[in-house]
Amino acid sequence: MSIIPAGFTPLFRSSPFLDLLGPIYNQRSDTGLVIGLRAEEKHCNARGLVHGGVLSSLADVALGYNSAFAQEPPTPIVTSSLTIDYAGTAKLGDWITLETDVQKVGKSLAFANCYVVVESVRIARASAVFSVITR
């Protein structure tokens, strides 16, 4: 159950929250960073399904990291809006991936979309708007 697919490595950057949520993995692709997580008991609700809050947190990570690292140097951003629609479920042991499409990173805002996928089935879609931090 804890087997991580080939090509995925531990997330290159973390935080106390992500350490609690994880372990989270990443894989570089032609279109950006793919985020992965093996569903553990701690990710599940009382019905044995991965809690929507876990999927929402993963979407925020996938959308934010892909948007921030879409340019060199990386753009400092914070989430302004995150919308997620659930169309399916993930359960204990599932390998969950998130692939992101960064629409635009501008001077003040960034926009991105992603799908949450289990076994080639899209179980959720998310979109976010990020505020670019200017100092």
Side-chain angles (χ1 to χ4, degrees):
M1 177 167 73
S2 63
I3 297 172
I4 304 308
F8 280 88
T9 59
L11 189 63
F12 68 96
R13 184 176 178 195
S14 196
S15 69
F17 174 72
L18 295 183
D19 290 343
L20 183 65
L21 180 64
I24 301 172
Y25 298 87
N26 67 178
Q27 179 183 57
R28 304 259 178 213
S29 75
D30 293 340
T31 58
L33 189 67
V34 178
I35 299 296
L37 176 101
R38 177 70 66 191
E40 298 178 7
E41 189 173 339
K42 69 179 182 177
H43 300 121
C44 295
N45 59 25
R47 293 183 180 164
L49 303 174
V50 174
H51 193 284
V54 171
L55 300 178
S56 179
S57 293
L58 290 172
D60 193 33
V61 170
L63 293 160
Y65 280 24
N66 275 284
S67 296
F69 292 95
Q71 302 174 353
E72 274 297 325
T75 305
I77 59 174
V78 294
T79 308
S80 294
S81 172
L82 176 67
T83 303
I84 187 164
D85 299 305
Y86 302 97
T89 59
K91 62 186 181 314
L92 180 66
D94 281 347
W95 176 248
I96 302 165
T97 58
L98 296 92
E99 293 193 32
T100 302
D101 173 37
V102 177
Q103 186 175 348
K104 177 183 179 179
V105 178
K107 292 184 179 187
S108 60
L109 296 173
F111 303 85
N113 305 293
C114 76
Y115 285 105
V116 182
V117 178
V118 173
E119 296 182 17
S120 302
V121 176
R122 293 176 175 174
I123 64 164
R125 66 178 177 200
S127 62
V129 178
F130 299 93
S131 293
V132 175
I133 299 171
T134 56
R135 297 184 179 145

